Amino acid sequence: MAQHRRGDRAVLRVLSGEPVFPPPAWVMRQAGRYLPEYREVRATAGSFLDLCYTPDFAVEVTLQPIRRFGFDAAILFSDILVVPDALGQNVRFVEGEGPRLDPIAGRAEFSALRQVDDPAIFEHLKPVFETVSRLRAELPSETTLLGFCGAPWTVASYMIGGRGTQDLAPARALAKNDTSLVDELIDRLVTVQTEYLIRQLRAGADAVQIFESHAGTLPDTDPDALSRWSFQPIARMIAGVRAHVPDAKIIVFARGSGLDGHARVVDETGASAVGVDWAVDLAELRRRIPDTVVTQGNVHPDTLIEGGAALDAAVDAVRDAVEGKPHIFNLGHGITPQTPVAHVEQMLARLRR
Ligand code: CP3
């Protein structure tokens, strides 16, 4: 039944600045291991990257949470690390540990990456665009289809560190010692990923999200670091996308950038919306920014695991903070594998009551 959906592509309407209440909802990492039907497909797909690059599988797991919960947006099933993979870096996902890349430790490894005009890059990513087209054809028309990529700093951090080390110290060290190499890596990611987003939009994505999941690892001793390494490269991507797809709707999730950082995202990058992490007080952020700024978020994934009265209170707090303002309901980071499915149902029922 479609009655629990907000209808009329509510997510796109909010991204155009229209307040919709209660807000439309989706959840970061909504296709994933907390769903038994995902685990089933994942087991037959082989490796995680095989799952990402096989449209039959990727379409199916993208649709699973839409069928089960009627989310207002579907997000393409893929990963931010398919881009380093397409650039020729060795990327693999180790069961129970996460991503592993052969680190870019210096010039030698950087020189081995594909150049921006190498046709092999987008040849490699072709299955992703096929997945997007098929999804747009199969999804209900009221469901917004989101494409995505990682922000240059976040992707560069994985490429340099080789893994999600706790504070991504290798990337910070390189950013301090060989600034020009990091600049060049970020430039390459800006160019390639601008084109990557354009191609997703042309294949059928209604909007895209840029994941800056590691904004919090930028050196906090340098007040300009957030602008220089995060917001400016993102701004260049957004301008580049809009040069080809005018009015493209783009959400920037700037996890770890703090209340100040979140308040600056839309202004400094030209994003259509700021994705708010769980560490930020949403009500306070909403008071600090103009009513016209579009926000998204930000229930703590641990509160979703907890459920019960705590979850109801967290949902109510978001509702209260955003009534009359353009907002898309979401978590403040990705849903985790141990989340009970019933709690997702509880959250949506509370939101839509
Ligand atoms: O949101 C969705 O449902 C769409 C799919 C999606 C995945 N990764 C699938 C995935 C998206 C949008 C991402 C983005 C992503 N990938 C980010 C940014 C968002 C964030 O969480 O901060 C980052 C940092 C990555 C890199 C990455 N991929 C890590 C660190 C891991 C390991 C952690 C983990 O949860 O296992 C992955 C693997 C991954 N990406 C899984 C999924 C469903 C789990 C792999 C599996 O099923 O075995």
Side-chain angles (χ1 to χ4, degrees), residues 72-308:
D72 298 287
I75 183 160
L76 160 72
F77 189 86
S78 182
D79 198 86
I80 63 169
L81 299 178
V82 298
V83 170
D85 191 43
L87 285 170
Q89 191 171 11
N90 186 327
V91 178
R92 59 243 175 242
F93 286 82
V94 181
E95 210 57 64
E97 285 186 49
R100 292 287 179 277
L101 299 81
D102 293 351
I104 309 279
R107 286 276 156 200
E109 295 86 3
F110 180 68
S111 306
L113 295 177
R114 289 184 174 127
Q115 300 291 332
V116 291
D117 52 1
D118 187 336
I121 297 173
F122 288 104
E123 193 53 42
H124 185 90
L125 294 169
K126 240 176 158 174
V128 176
F129 309 122
E130 187 187 330
T131 300
V132 170
S133 308
R134 283 169 55 176
L135 280 169
R136 191 53 278 170
E138 288 187 35
L139 279 165
S141 63
E142 73 265 25
T143 310
T144 297
L145 176 59
L146 300 172
F148 72 92
C149 71
W153 170 257
T154 290
V155 177
S157 300
Y158 279 100
M159 293 177 78
I160 295 164
R163 57 194 291 171
T165 45
Q166 206 142 52
D167 60 355
L168 295 162
R172 296 213 300 199
L174 198 61
K176 213 172 145 196
N177 299 326
D178 192 348
T179 323
S180 70
L181 180 61
V182 181
D183 276 336
E184 285 171 53
L185 178 56
I186 284 192
D187 282 351
R188 188 158 317 179
L189 289 167
V190 166
T191 306
V192 168
Q193 296 199 124
T194 299
E195 166 125 27
Y196 185 44
L197 291 182
I198 291 168
R199 288 186 187 229
Q200 290 183 37
L201 289 161
R202 291 200 168 136
D206 300 303
V208 291
Q209 174 155 316
I210 298 174
F211 285 89
E212 184 69 289
S213 299
H214 293 297
T217 65
L218 283 157
D220 43 19
T221 46
D222 173 2
D224 297 330
L226 196 60
S227 285
R228 166 157 190 201
W229 303 103
S230 175
F231 292 171
Q232 283 171 21
I234 292 172
R236 282 156 55 208
M237 284 175 58
I238 291 177
V241 170
R242 295 221 178 103
H244 295 269
V245 186
D247 204 33
K249 298 289 181 278
I250 304 173
I251 306 163
V252 172
F253 176 56
R255 177 173 161 246
S257 66
L259 184 65
D260 271 346
H262 280 79
R264 286 162 46 199
V265 169
V266 166
D267 232 26
E268 285 195 33
T269 67
S272 316
V274 55
V276 184
D277 75 29
W278 52 260
V280 166
D281 181 334
L282 183 62
E284 195 180 341
L285 177 68
R286 285 281 13 167
R287 282 192 293 273
R288 291 250 310 238
I289 57 179
D291 281 357
T292 49
V293 171
V294 183
T295 45
Q296 173 179 279
N298 78 335
V299 169
H300 199 307
D302 291 349
T303 311
L304 183 57
I305 297 174
E306 195 182 339

Side-chain angles (χ1 to χ4, degrees), residues 301-332:
D302 291 349
T303 311
L304 183 57
I305 297 174
E306 195 182 339
L311 178 57
D312 284 349
V315 172
D316 291 354
V318 171
R319 280 176 52 119
D320 292 346
V322 305
E323 185 158 11
K325 292 160 193 167
H327 183 82
I328 298 161
F329 185 90
N330 206 311
L331 299 181

